[in-house]
Amino acid sequence: MSQGGGKYGMASRWDSARVAGNIYLAVAVLIALLPLLLVAINTFKPHVAIVANPLSLPTSINFANFTRAWRGGHFSTGIVNSLLLSGSTVLITLACASLAAYALARRQIRGWQAMTIYFLCATTVPIQLFLFPLYFVLAKLGLIGNFLATATILSAINLPISIFLLRAYVLGIPREIDDAAFMDGATPWQTFRHVILPLMQPGLITVAIIVFLNSWNEFLITTTFQKGRGNLTMTLGYLSMNGIYATDQGAMMAGAFILVAPIIIFVLILQRFFIAGMSAGAVKG
Amino acid sequence: MARFRSVAFSHALFVAPALVVSVAIVLLPALLTLLVAFADWDGASTPTFVGLKNFQAVFSDPVFWGALFNNVQWMVIFLTIPMAIAMVAASILMRRKRSSAVFQIIFLLPYVLSPVANAVIWQNIIFDPISGLLGFVSRSWFPLFNPLTDTRTALYAVAGVDIWHFWGYLAVVFFAAMRQTPEDQLEAAFIEGASGWQVFWNVTLPNILPTVALMLVLVTIFSFLTFDYVYLITQGGPARSTEMLSTFAYAFAFTSFQVGKAATVALAMSFFGLIASLVYVRMSRSEIQL
Amino acid sequence: MDLARLELKNVAKTFNETEVIKSVNLSVADGEFAVLVGPSGCGKSTILRMLAGLEQVSGGAIEIDGRNVTSMLPLERGVAMVFQSYALYPHMTVEDNIGFGLKIAGQSRAERRPKVLEAARILQLEPYLARKPKQLSGGQRQRVAIGRAIVKQPKIFLFDEPLSNLDAELRVQMRLEIARLHQQLGATMIYVTHDQVEAMTLADKIVVLRDGRIEQAGPPVELYERPANIFVAGFIGSPKMNFLDAVPADGKLSLPGLGGAIAGSSASVRTLGVRPEHISITDAGAFAGTVKVVEQLGNVSYLYVDSAAGATVTIEQRRMTGLHAGDAVRFDIEHDQIHLFDGDGRRL
């Protein structure tokens, strides 16, 4: 009979605690989604209609806003830049982090403790602590706007968390398997490539997804190091519309839609990995 | 003999790329920042050593203390409000396991969007006095002022946007932690007739305490580093009321090109987060089997 | 004289300043099945891992066929290992598991296949070649682990407690398979276990270890009938040998715990050992006691008897016994089946 109260307690569907809980969740959902819903409905309205009443539903569906937003936010180059940047960041991060995670998990290096602590500290380092000299040095080297440079910087930021996530995976692989590979005549590289790496696969996918999203959404480093019109990512491209298109909210909303919709779809499809990755990094005990 | 020398050597090579990248991009520039704090540098010409002049200038600047105060306020806000909201939501979800997946992903949406997207959306469709919700409500029903333009409320408005962005993450983390509470402990408590609140306080909470502690530490650290939302929404204004240490430093470096002062503020930022970082490292050591 | 297949010369191992293996000397002949046995922490696994090349040797040398292999890699030495938890590669099929070593040595699929098939045939794994380890039973996984070793055609097989993870029934079955395998291949095998039953049934030579030292090495019968000290005497044979304090008196051996004496004499004796099957219940027995616990296994029974003088002895009786707890009994000790040990526990 009691569908609501969970396994414990014979709370009926209508008791006050349950109703209160439902109201709380409903309000939370509303607040979480409200701005996004506003974007969705206002994307199809002309500026005048938005100003008149942002809450009203669109009277007709037309994509005029999208065309203007697409041009105004330079999204054609933006999407390519974002893909390039995020893709490179993922590759660099995975390559460095998977190797490092294996080496640190197996503890065969003298000084592994110091290195592990270093990366642990690095997860909390503020970007401003290294940003300024890094910028001016790279500027001197002419590397501002260089994708590989920016991707490497973003990798450096994502490395610590990636290393720890992947390290946890390696720790789950019994050392006996390393021993067996050794008895089979495998060198450390062969052991890594043929045995450890395939077994790390779920971890690699999770890290790839998280790093991809982080670098796609990233602001501080991207805006500092990707200056220059042709270098802007989608995110920065949209930002450049702000203020200029203040009197064309239709375009602003369409731009937001273009920026946000793919991310939402991406996350909805891959939600398992996000939730797994977030919990892994944070849940203790 | 052969195994160990070559294994140690190979593994050292394995860790090298990550170390090189991290040292080159984070560690060395961080050390440079430390040095630059004692120098006068515009980023292009050669720096000149000035001793403690930057520190004196920065610490006697009321804007610095205002920014620091803002960071502290931010910390207090984030240690309480989003944590409480998330905790309650997670507890409620514990009683609705079947639908929890749907709720989780909805709550997570603001978190996975770019700060640029979030900030611009809120600026334009919520806060904007002409096109935004606030403006509409103001015109139609009762006047609301735009909190972003008032020096007394601007910081809280920006914090509000970041709370909207962040609390979903905490909810997911707390929910995951709560689900790890051993079933038998919960059963025992219910059999003894404990109410929902008592079960939470006596069984669930102690079990998730390590996670909560970790989140408290992380929030503390990041309160002193927070940059994106402030910079995007108010740039530190109006009248420096939302200035944070991070935007203050950024302005020194890229607006007035006084990189020495920027470095000084950056050091101050790191210092305040440092204690919390040490706590974080300490806490994590046993977890990661160090 | 035949060259010993394997020779350990003064092999020692130190871990973090603790001497874990203290100068061990051992010879194993070609085709011999040697079992390293002992309580936890005695160092048997460490010695095995040193033989494999998984652990560094701190002192001494390992020789195989007269060659010093102490600093060589496992394949160079010609050894292959079967791990306790099999250590199969979870993401590879049985065929790939067995052939992995050959693959990374650069052999093509065409070269590998016949060798893998041969190993699979010996172990009856042919129907499982395309399966992954998680689709196999414990016994099958064990065989794949052995197959991985066979395919390398090693000079020496190393087994690290291979049956510990199996249930009792499977353990007996696999024990027979390993014995059969040894006969079939005729290879030298070094086998580590803590189970003395496995040692007794499989070994050509048992090596009993304690605290990093070899207590005794020899054929099972020798260790059973002529244990070199109290430790080996108590370790080999189940149930344990009975140990009684013994004092020479009046040309006989007085056994205070039993309140009597037995024929025999030795000036330095301190302990007398006698196995349960060498004590018999007779009405005219020299010693008296009360049965405390009776264990009936069907083919044999064990009686735990308390003597009035304080000692407890285990007595074996063939088949089922008619005795019960609380019965008073008298028993005799076969005086030519006793073992005498001095104050340091050594055999006299």
Side-chain angles (χ1 to χ4, degrees), chain A residues 282, chain B residues 83 87 174 177 205 208-217 283:
Chain B
M83 304 277 287
M87 190 77 81
F174 287 153
L205 196 54
I208 63 172
L209 220 41
T211 304
V212 174
L214 182 69
M215 290 296 110
L216 289 173
V217 169
M283 281 173 78

Side-chain angles (χ1 to χ4, degrees), chain C residues 295-307:
Chain C
E295 283 177 351
Q296 305 211 58
L297 275 73
N299 59 329
V300 68
S301 305
Y302 297 112
L303 303 164
Y304 297 86
V305 176
D306 278 357
S307 110

Side-chain angles (χ1 to χ4, degrees), chain B residues 1-241:
Chain B
M1 287 312 161
R3 179 189 198 193
F4 315 95
R5 246 181 276 136
S6 89
V7 164
F9 183 65
S10 294
H11 283 204
L13 284 183
F14 288 173
V15 88
L19 267 185
V20 165
V21 167
S22 188
V23 166
I25 293 185
V26 177
L27 187 60
L28 288 179
L31 291 174
L32 274 181
T33 301
L34 186 58
L35 291 176
V36 168
F38 297 97
D40 201 8
W41 190 32
D42 62 354
S45 39
T46 44
T48 47
F49 179 73
V50 292
L52 292 173
K53 207 174 79 158
N54 288 328
F55 290 89
Q56 286 163 345
V58 166
F59 291 155
S60 55
D61 188 341
V63 179
F64 172 77
W65 297 103
L68 179 59
F69 181 60
N70 284 341
N71 280 100
V72 173
Q73 287 192 80
W74 192 272
M75 179 185 80
V76 171
I77 293 174
F78 274 82
L79 285 178
T80 50
I81 301 177
M83 304 277 287
I85 299 177
M87 190 77 81
V88 173
S91 313
I92 297 178
L93 284 183
M94 284 292 284
R95 303 290 216 104
R96 290 159 176 74
K97 299 270 177 64
R98 265 171 287 134
S99 49
S100 63
V102 176
F103 283 111
Q104 272 196 90
I105 203 64
I106 292 179
F107 295 153
L108 217 43
L109 283 182
Y111 182 74
V112 299
L113 299 180
S114 163
V116 168
N118 289 339
V120 173
I121 291 176
W122 275 76
Q123 268 184 314
N124 282 282
I125 204 67
I126 311 255
F127 284 127
D128 194 295
I130 301 175
S131 58
L133 196 56
L134 275 178
F136 174 67
V137 169
S138 265
R139 289 192 301 275
S140 320
W141 296 321
F142 49 90
L144 292 170
F145 67 100
N146 182 357
L148 293 176
T149 51
D150 188 324
T151 55
R152 287 165 304 169
T153 55
L155 185 67
Y156 307 120
V158 176
V161 180
D162 205 350
I163 291 178
W164 173 82
H165 151 258
F166 182 61
W167 82 269
Y169 168 75
L170 286 179
V172 170
V173 169
F174 287 153
F175 184 54
M178 284 183 190
R179 268 179 306 174
Q180 286 188 355
T181 315
E183 280 289 328
D184 43 347
Q185 285 187 28
L186 290 168
E187 272 184 33
F190 274 107
I191 288 175
E192 298 199 25
S195 72
W197 169 251
Q198 284 174 322
V199 173
F200 175 76
W201 188 254
N202 292 302
V203 179
T204 315
L205 196 54
N207 266 293
I208 63 172
L209 220 41
T211 304
V212 174
L214 182 69
M215 290 296 110
L216 289 173
V217 169
L218 286 178
V219 166
T220 307
I221 296 174
F222 290 118
S223 302
F224 288 95
L225 317 183
T226 183
F227 176 82
D228 291 352
Y229 284 90
V230 175
Y231 185 79
L232 286 167
I233 299 181
T234 56
Q235 293 87 48
R240 308 289 194 137
S241 57

Side-chain angles (χ1 to χ4, degrees), chain A residues 176-177 179-186 190 194-195 198-199, chain C residues 49 53-54 74-75 83 85 88-89 91 100-101 104 148 152:
Chain A
E176 267 194 342
I177 296 206
D179 287 345
F182 178 72
M183 298 301 292
D184 272 338
Q190 285 171 322
H194 294 283
V195 180
L199 291 175
Chain C
R49 288 175 69 89
L54 290 167
L75 287 183
F83 291 88
S85 3
L88 300 181
Y89 306 121
H91 59 295
F100 180 65
I104 55 175
R148 198 164 55 174
K152 299 187 184 85

Side-chain angles (χ1 to χ4, degrees), chain A residues 3-9 17-18 21-22 24-25 28-29 31-36 38-39 42 47 50-55 92 96-97 99-100 102-104 106-109 112-113 115-126 128-137 140 152-153 155-156 159 163-164 167 171 178-179 182 188-189 192 213 217 219-220 223-224 227 235 238-239 242 246 249 252-253 256 259-260 263-264 267-268 271 274-275 278-279 281-285, chain B residues 3 6-8 10-12 14-15 17-19 21-27 29-30 32-33 36 41-45 84-86 88-89 92-93 95-96 98 101 103-117 120-126 128 130-133 136 139 164 167 169 172-173 176-177 180 183 186-187 190 210-211 214-215 218 221-222 225 227-228 231-232 246 249-250 253-254 257 259 262-263 266-267 269-270 277 280-281 284-285 287-290:
Chain A
Q3 278 224 300
K7 278 158 69 177
Y8 311 110
R18 190 132 188 103
N22 286 338
Y24 189 94
L25 289 180
V29 166
I31 295 183
L33 294 182
L34 184 62
L36 303 175
L38 286 176
V39 167
N42 286 306
H47 178 84
I50 300 178
V51 173
N53 182 357
L55 292 171
I92 300 177
C96 296
L99 284 168
Y102 176 53
L104 290 177
R106 293 304 190 224
R107 309 187 195 187
Q108 302 287 331
I109 320 175
W112 65 268
Q113 233 174 352
M115 293 181 204
T116 310
I117 294 184
Y118 167 73
F119 282 113
L120 193 55
C121 293
T123 48
T124 62
V125 156
Q128 271 85 356
L129 189 57
F130 60 88
L131 181 67
F132 310 126
L134 188 63
Y135 175 81
F136 291 112
V137 166
K140 272 230 174 72
T152 312
I153 301 176
S155 282
L159 270 179
I163 290 180
F164 280 107
R167 182 176 168 276
L171 289 174
D178 286 41
D179 287 345
F182 178 72
W189 168 249
F192 176 75
L213 189 68
N217 286 341
F219 173 62
L220 178 51
T223 194
T224 309
K227 293 200 205 298
T235 311
Y238 180 59
L239 184 59
N242 204 16
Q249 286 298 325
M252 284 307 289
M253 290 299 106
L259 186 57
V260 157
I263 299 181
I264 294 184
V267 169
L268 282 177
Q271 51 180 287
F274 282 107
I275 300 195
M278 283 176 203
S279 321
V283 176
K284 299 269 184 244
Chain B
R3 179 189 198 193
S6 89
V7 164
S10 294
H11 283 204
F14 288 173
V15 88
L19 267 185
V21 167
S22 188
V23 166
I25 293 185
V26 177
L27 187 60
L32 274 181
T33 301
V36 168
W41 190 32
D42 62 354
S45 39
I85 299 177
V88 173
I92 297 178
L93 284 183
R95 303 290 216 104
R96 290 159 176 74
R98 265 171 287 134
F103 283 111
Q104 272 196 90
I105 203 64
I106 292 179
F107 295 153
L108 217 43
L109 283 182
Y111 182 74
V112 299
L113 299 180
S114 163
V116 168
V120 173
I121 291 176
W122 275 76
Q123 268 184 314
N124 282 282
I125 204 67
I126 311 255
D128 194 295
I130 301 175
S131 58
L133 196 56
F136 174 67
R139 289 192 301 275
W164 173 82
W167 82 269
Y169 168 75
V172 170
V173 169
Q180 286 188 355
E183 280 289 328
L186 290 168
E187 272 184 33
F190 274 107
T211 304
L214 182 69
M215 290 296 110
L218 286 178
I221 296 174
F222 290 118
L225 317 183
F227 176 82
D228 291 352
Y231 185 79
L232 286 167
S246 53
Y250 199 80
F254 296 117
F257 293 99
V259 191
L267 287 178
M269 268 174 75
S270 317
S277 295
Y280 169 71
V281 171
S284 303
R285 277 178 82 142
E287 261 315 298
I288 59 174
Q289 301 175 33
L290 214 48

